[in-house]
Amino acid sequence: MTTEMIHIMSVEGAVELDLAVVKGQVRIAVDPKAVFARLRIHTAAAEGPAADAVRATEIGEYGGKLVISVPEPAAAAGIVIGGNSFGGGTAVFNGSGVSGGTAVGDGDIWIGGRPIVVDGRVVVPQGTVVTGGSETVTVDVVLPVGSSASVQTKHAETTVRGALKTLRFRAHNGSLKATRAGVLDADTHNGSVQVETVDAELKASTHNGRITIGAYHGRCASVRTHNGNASVAASPASTGRLTARTHNGNIHLVSASHLDLKTSTHRGNIW
């Protein structure tokens, strides 16, 4: 059994998506046949922290803007009941081991979407080992052509299929993989940025992670990494300045000699 929340935008046509999700997976698709933006937030868990996070998701429409906020699944708490201790580690109930995160509601205990204690009674058979806390919250969004997206996350991988007008991405631990954006503004601390095509403006930075731009047609570009390689392939249509800087990493620029290049690396090669 899964837990899900489904929403269909009431206004047709292109939208501005503003998505904040702390932990999980984000999948965005631009569909030429889509008239209304739609989303599905789901997890495989029927109960527990991930399911609670899905149910607590906030969704708002403001004209042509769709705002989504998915809370972080609650962290496991250490608890002691009748001499049986459990929490983020391992609990033992008459010889049965339980490992993983826990959720507590109305006196009942759930681990990994499975009831462990109901009405004060341990309901798992002796010797049962339950692994919990591994459920993932997934956000699936389908957008009409001409839409833009802004994604903010701490720990979530993000993929985008199709062309967005503007794509803004902020992550602490998470990578971005996208097909196409008119304007790309991406920054991640631990994670890579991989975009097949950027048409107008490019700004991408990582602390630990590579940056790869398959085709750049724009008028201004900046790529920066602290630990990671940076690669940009420029088309004849591109103009203006291209800045590429790394601290520990190589810089690979393809067909970019016609641009105003500003490159530097502390420990790496440039070609």
Side-chain angles (χ1 to χ4, degrees):
M1 182 180 294
T2 62
T3 303
E4 66 178 10
M5 179 180 291
I6 296 174
H7 181 84
I8 299 176
M9 190 80 171
S10 62
V11 178
E12 67 178 66
V15 302
E16 294 182 19
L17 171 68
D18 188 344
L19 170 63
V21 54
V22 178
K23 189 176 182 180
Q25 184 179 22
V26 176
R27 301 183 298 201
I28 299 172
V30 180
D31 184 357
K33 297 181 180 179
V35 178
F36 297 92
R38 60 185 186 270
L39 67 99
R40 177 176 179 247
I41 305 161
H42 56 101
T43 180
E47 298 291 343
D52 291 341
V54 171
R55 286 188 282 264
T57 295
E58 297 180 355
I59 301 172
E61 290 189 28
Y62 307 92
K65 189 171 185 177
L66 177 60
V67 180
I68 306 163
S69 178
V70 185
E72 182 175 11
I79 307 167
V80 177
I81 296 180
N84 295 318
S85 63
F86 51 99
T90 299
V92 177
F93 300 104
N94 296 324
S96 56
V98 181
S99 64
T102 67
V104 182
D106 298 327
D108 298 340
I109 310 300
W110 295 73
I111 298 181
R114 178 173 181 176
I116 305 300
V117 177
V118 177
D119 295 329
R121 181 174 60 88
V122 177
V123 295
V124 292
Q126 182 175 348
T128 299
V129 176
V130 179
T131 299
S134 60
E135 289 77 16
T136 297
V137 175
T138 301
V139 181
D140 288 315
V141 186
V142 177
L143 300 175
V145 171
S147 296
S148 297
S150 175
V151 178
Q152 303 90 42
T153 179
K154 285 186 179 179
H155 312 284
E157 300 298 310
T158 299
T159 59
V160 179
R161 292 187 294 107
L164 288 171
K165 183 178 179 181
T166 300
L167 173 56
R168 184 177 183 270
F169 178 73
R170 297 288 184 270
H172 184 75
N173 293 308
S175 296
L176 170 66
K177 187 175 183 179
T179 304
R180 190 168 200 149
V183 175
L184 174 67
D185 182 1
D187 179 84
T188 177
H189 186 78
N190 294 310
S192 61
V193 173
Q194 182 179 348
V195 181
E196 293 179 16
T197 305
V198 177
D199 290 311
E201 298 179 13
L202 164 62
K203 183 179 180 183
S205 63
T206 69
H207 185 77
N208 295 308
R210 70 185 184 279
I211 297 173
T212 306
I213 308 299
Y216 166 66
H217 308 303
R219 55 185 176 268
C220 59
S222 173
V223 293
R224 300 172 186 270
T225 74
H226 185 78
N227 296 307
N229 296 331
S231 175
V232 178
S235 76
S238 60
T239 61
R241 174 172 292 183
L242 192 163
T243 301
R245 304 187 187 281
T246 69
H247 184 76
N248 295 311
N250 298 320
I251 296 174
H252 186 201
L253 304 179
V254 180
S255 302
S257 59
H258 63 289
L259 298 176
D260 179 12
L261 300 178
K262 300 295 181 183
T263 61
S264 68
T265 180
H266 182 67
R267 295 173 182 169
N269 298 311
I270 301 174
W271 74 92

